[in-house]
């Protein structure tokens, strides 16, 4: 039992951030190849790869932020705890979504219960996270991982593959495979699983005074 963070959420967020970091290093590597290339044709091709990488890093971030805005206002706002959290920390959530390269990474972090802090306890339940994760394939995978992998492959045809390109290709490939597997599993669970959601609001000074203990007990019940 770990009362200070959700290990799975932290690992998923770290993996997604490593994917973004590997893409950034690949972009830098391509720019250096373009800058020092003498052959004009290859120089133009490297520049095209560089521009493509930038485009397919920015577009998926914007799409994922739009997805976050849509689902939070259309569905999550009806949950009192999530609504209160969004009203207090919505700006930070969107800022981290942009800085971390996708809103999927930030959602994992802000639902990780890190250090038992309220800011990392957004309040999404398993069904919320299931339905949210399934949207990743329509933004990050289609508009980042697949295009990036194609651009990385194109780069390999221009020169010998180096460590940066190899790592970037491996991360993109793993992200695509994991996203599709995750989508299939969640799709089956989402379609076949019946559930009843019961919401009980308990208020009072005794609850406020023992907020930390109550949160730990609620977490143990959920798990």
């Amino acid at each position: 039992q770990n009362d200070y963070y959700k290990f799975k959420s932290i690992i998923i967020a770290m993996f997604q951030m490593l994917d973004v970091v590997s893409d950034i290093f690949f972009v830098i590597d391509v720019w250096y190849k373009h800058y020092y290339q003498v052959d004009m044709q290859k120089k133009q091709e490297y520049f095209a790869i560089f521009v493509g990488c930038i485009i397919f890093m920015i577009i998926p971030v914007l799409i994922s932020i739009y997805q976050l805005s849509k689902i939070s206002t259309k569905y999550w706002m009806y949950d009192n705890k999530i609504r209160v959290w969004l009203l207090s920390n919505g700006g930070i959530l969107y800022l981290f979504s942009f800085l971390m390269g996708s809103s999927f990474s930030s959602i994992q972090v802000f639902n990780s219960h890190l250090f038992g802090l309220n800011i990392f306890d957004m309040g999404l339940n398993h069904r919320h996270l299931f339905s949210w994760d399934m949207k990743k394939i329509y933004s990050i995978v289609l508009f980042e991982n697949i295009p990036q992998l194609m651009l990385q492959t194109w780069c390999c045809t221009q020169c010998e593959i180096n460590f940066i390109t190899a790592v970037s290709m491996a991360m993109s490939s793993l992200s695509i495979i994991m996203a599709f597997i995750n989508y299939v599993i969640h799709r089956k669970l989402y379609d076949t699983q019946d559930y009843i959601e019961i919401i009980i609001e308990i208020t009072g000074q005794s609850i406020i005074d023992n907020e930390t203990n109550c949160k730990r007990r609620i977490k143990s019940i959920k798990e």
Side-chain angles (χ1 to χ4, degrees), residues 89-206:
N89 305 292
I92 298 175
L93 175 62
Y94 286 104
L95 176 61
F96 269 72
S97 296
F98 185 79
L99 295 177
M100 298 177 72
S102 84
S103 55
F104 295 91
S105 299
S106 62
I107 286 295
Q108 290 293 341
V109 170
F110 287 114
N111 283 278
S112 64
H113 299 169
L114 190 62
F115 305 124
L117 299 176
N118 290 333
I119 193 171
F120 297 112
D121 185 14
M122 184 177 175
L124 297 182
N125 58 36
H126 291 297
R127 192 168 180 84
H128 287 143
L129 292 173
F130 276 178
S131 61
W132 170 244
D133 286 341
M134 287 167 58
K135 296 181 181 299
K136 183 179 180 181
I137 201 168
Y138 301 111
S139 54
I140 303 302
V141 175
L142 289 181
F143 292 97
E144 180 178 356
N145 297 139
I146 293 177
Q148 291 285 354
L149 183 59
M150 294 172 64
L151 291 167
Q152 290 153 6
T153 305
W154 183 12
C155 183
C156 290
T157 63
Q158 305 301 312
C159 64
E160 292 184 3
I161 185 171
N162 60 15
F163 177 76
I164 294 176
T165 305
V167 171
S168 298
M169 292 181 71
M171 293 299 296
S172 296
S173 301
L174 281 173
S175 296
I176 294 169
I177 293 170
M178 290 177 62
F180 274 102
I181 292 174
N182 194 51
Y183 178 84
V184 172
I185 293 174
H186 284 182
R187 182 79 265 176
K188 289 183 178 179
L189 289 173
Y190 192 82
D191 289 339
T192 60
Q193 188 177 32
D194 293 328
Y195 78 103
I196 297 175
E197 184 173 356
I198 301 174
I199 300 175
I200 302 174
E201 292 189 15
I202 303 174
T203 59
Q205 189 61 40
S206 59

Side-chain angles (χ1 to χ4, degrees), residues 40-69:
M40 288 304 297
Q41 183 177 351
K42 284 190 174 183
K43 193 178 185 72
Q44 291 175 355
E45 290 182 355
Y46 280 131
F47 183 73
I49 295 172
F50 172 78
V51 173
C53 288
I54 296 295
I55 291 173
F56 290 113
M57 287 180 67
I58 295 175
I59 289 178
V61 174
L62 298 178
I63 294 175
S64 71
I65 290 175
Y66 169 76
Q67 289 176 310
L68 176 59
S69 175

